[in-house]
Amino acid sequence: MFSWFSKVSPTERRTFWACFGGWALDALDMQIFSLVIPAIIAEWAISKTEAGLVASVTLIASALGGWFAGALADRIGRVRTLQVTIVFFSVCTFACAFAQDYTQFLVLKTLQGFGFGGEWAAGAVLMAETIRSSHRGKAMGTVQSAWSVGWGAAVLLYAAMFSLLPGATAWRVMFAIGLLPALLIFYVRRAVPEPTPGSMNDALDAQAPTPSGSQHAPSLPLLGIFAPSVLRMTLVGALLGVGAHGGYYALMTWLPTYLKTERHLSVLGTGGYLAVIIVAFFCGCIVCSHLLDRIGRRSTILTFSLLCVATVIVYLLMPLSNTAMLILGFPLGFFAAGIPASMGALFSELYPHGIRGTGVGFCYNFGRVVSAVFPLMVGHLAKTHSLGFAIGVDAAIAYAIVALAVLMLPETRGRTLADARLAGTARPQWSAGSPPAA
């Protein structure tokens, strides 16, 4: 299953590990909040709606950070942008440990989100431009599995800290440990080179034409993604991002609280149920990564999104025993992995070089802006319905949006990334045997 890794160059492998580490540490920092929501509610006597607001504001900030960092990556380079964003979100996560009230915590989480969104955008484009097209889906899908590694580390940390320390101290220690990702920049600076159009590892790069007059990035990269030649891709890609993030954050922000407050599981019990979902998420990313290069981006995303809708409905809206929920946690985590594991490759292949960072950052993170209402909606709906019902309805609607959006996008499997420098300057080139789908 991982035999492809031995076929890539040392530069590709180093870039892979840098992004894998970045995503794992991202997940560690971001999943801390969902695990400590009950402790924060108790400490500051805030409502579930106010707790949901923290998640929503963080997502909005991460969207703005991703769009900004994507444009910055088109200006100063992918690697330099990656380093800046890693340090920024790590320091902000650490600062959350010292918040003295709800308002301070809300501000610090907002800043953390801004850096987190930027790190994903820079890393996704770096990976897409470094890994050759024949392995791009597998590499980027596998990198997404790093999220489950960081998520699992956060759950283990949660179980350890809340077992050994009072809740009011444990959540602060968890955020303080969030400074660890900053250490990753030393590896990035030493081992990861900046990709250039001439060094991209696509099989057809040497044959790809350089359009006349397009050697430089657009003068307004933030607006370049709205050029007529790519406007449809931008709008539909953003819609896909809305559904993908809405489903994930509606589900994963509130699931630990649901397991603890409505299923009445202990700290260790909650950790056990989450462990099944996390292992399944890892497996889902790996399987999806191979499907991306085998059956294509569209078919993979459509399949996983429809199965997500079905699984969420059964898991949260049907009367199940705790044992049944434990078993169904595997398909829940497995299918939830497929959509985020696909987006990096798909979005990167929709845009030419000069605006690729901006396009990836916008599509992925616009989804975060709009999807920020989903955790808030869950908290609001839970006032009149059970928390499980609120999570299930919101997540199912979001995943249905993904299925609708992906039907409106072209198949991009096999597309090379060095074939155009500016939107509208040239028709995309395709690898032999991999024509675009209608």
Side-chain angles (χ1 to χ4, degrees):
M1 185 168 285
F2 299 101
S3 60
W4 63 270
F5 196 73
S6 64
K7 301 175 184 177
V8 299
S9 69
T11 296
E12 290 172 286
R13 286 195 290 270
R14 289 194 298 269
T15 302
F16 172 90
W17 285 120
C19 292
F20 189 97
W23 262 304
L25 293 169
D26 271 1
L28 172 66
D29 282 9
M30 288 300 291
Q31 291 297 141
I32 286 173
F33 175 67
S34 66
L35 294 165
V36 303
I37 286 176
I40 290 176
I41 288 176
E43 172 138 350
W44 290 320
I46 61 176
S47 66
K48 290 180 180 177
T49 300
E50 289 174 309
L53 179 62
V54 174
S56 296
V57 170
T58 302
L59 293 179
I60 292 173
S62 70
L64 297 176
W67 190 9
F68 173 80
L72 187 65
D74 284 333
R75 289 294 188 180
I76 69 171
R78 287 46 165 140
V79 175
R80 289 176 63 190
T81 304
L82 183 65
Q83 294 175 47
V84 170
T85 53
I86 288 174
V87 172
F88 188 87
F89 86 74
S90 300
V91 171
C92 291
T93 302
F94 177 75
C96 287
F98 302 96
Q100 297 302 303
D101 55 39
Y102 174 75
T103 301
Q104 290 182 17
F105 185 74
L106 184 63
V107 171
L108 291 170
K109 279 289 291 174
T110 301
L111 293 174
Q112 180 210 35
F114 189 84
F116 166 73
E119 194 273 345
W120 189 94
V125 179
L126 174 63
M127 276 284 294
E129 293 182 343
T130 303
I131 305 296
R132 64 197 69 190
S133 61
S134 58
H135 299 306
R136 188 180 301 128
K138 292 186 285 291
M140 298 192 74
T142 303
V143 161
Q144 189 67 41
S145 72
W147 184 268
S148 64
V149 175
W151 188 5
V155 171
L156 291 175
L157 186 64
Y158 160 77
M161 292 299 100
F162 278 80
S163 297
L164 298 173
L165 300 171
T169 302
W171 74 263
R172 293 182 182 275
V173 173
M174 289 182 67
F175 275 108
I177 293 174
L179 187 62
L180 287 176
L183 299 177
L184 183 65
I185 65 166
F186 296 106
Y187 177 77
V188 174
R189 290 188 65 179
R190 184 178 67 254
V192 181
E194 178 68 29
T196 63
S199 66
M200 294 179 194
N201 277 311
D202 288 329
L204 299 183
D205 277 356
Q207 306 168 27
T210 301
S212 176
S214 61
Q215 288 81 3
H216 302 288
S219 57
L220 291 174
L222 283 171
L223 302 180
I225 59 173
F226 299 107
S229 59
V230 293
L231 177 60
R232 182 173 177 273
M233 298 299 98
T234 298
L235 297 179
V236 179
L239 180 63
L240 192 153
V242 170
H245 289 297
Y248 180 84
Y249 286 108
L251 185 63
M252 300 308 175
T253 297
W254 285 105
L255 190 58
T257 302
Y258 166 74
L259 292 172
K260 184 173 183 180
T261 61
E262 292 199 1
R263 305 301 300 198
H264 307 295
L265 298 176
S266 65
V267 169
L268 292 178
T270 298
Y273 276 67
L274 291 176
V276 172
I277 295 174
I278 292 166
V279 171
F281 190 94
F282 178 86
C283 295
C285 286
I286 300 302
V287 171
C288 173
S289 72
H290 285 265
L291 290 176
L292 287 170
D293 286 334
R294 183 175 294 273
I295 68 174
R297 283 47 164 157
R298 283 205 336 168
S299 297
T300 300
I301 295 175
L302 181 62
T303 300
F304 275 82
S305 61
L306 292 177
L307 290 172
C308 275
V309 173
T311 308
V312 164
I313 290 174
V314 173
Y315 189 84
L316 290 164
L317 302 185
M318 299 295 178
L320 300 174
S321 66
N322 283 350
T323 301
M325 287 195 68
L326 182 65
I327 295 172
L328 280 174
F330 192 89
L332 180 71
F334 186 92
F335 297 131
I339 303 169
S342 305
M343 288 194 293
L346 174 65
F347 290 157
S348 295
E349 292 163 347
L350 291 176
Y351 293 96
H353 179 71
I355 57 171
R356 184 169 297 128
T358 309
V360 171
F362 179 82
C363 288
Y364 190 85
N365 291 291
F366 176 83
R368 278 187 173 145
V369 170
V370 180
S371 71
V373 304
F374 282 85
L376 188 60
M377 286 168 54
V378 170
H380 182 72
L381 189 58
K383 290 181 177 180
T384 54
H385 297 79
S386 70
L387 182 57
F389 177 85
I391 297 170
V393 168
D394 280 15
I397 291 173
Y399 287 129
I401 292 173
V402 174
L404 175 65
V406 77
L407 291 174
M408 295 186 283
L409 289 173
E411 177 56 62
T412 61
R413 179 177 53 141
R415 179 173 289 185
T416 62
L417 299 186
D419 50 18
R421 306 292 186 264
L422 183 62
T425 59
R427 294 182 63 82
Q429 305 292 314
W430 299 86
S431 297
S434 302

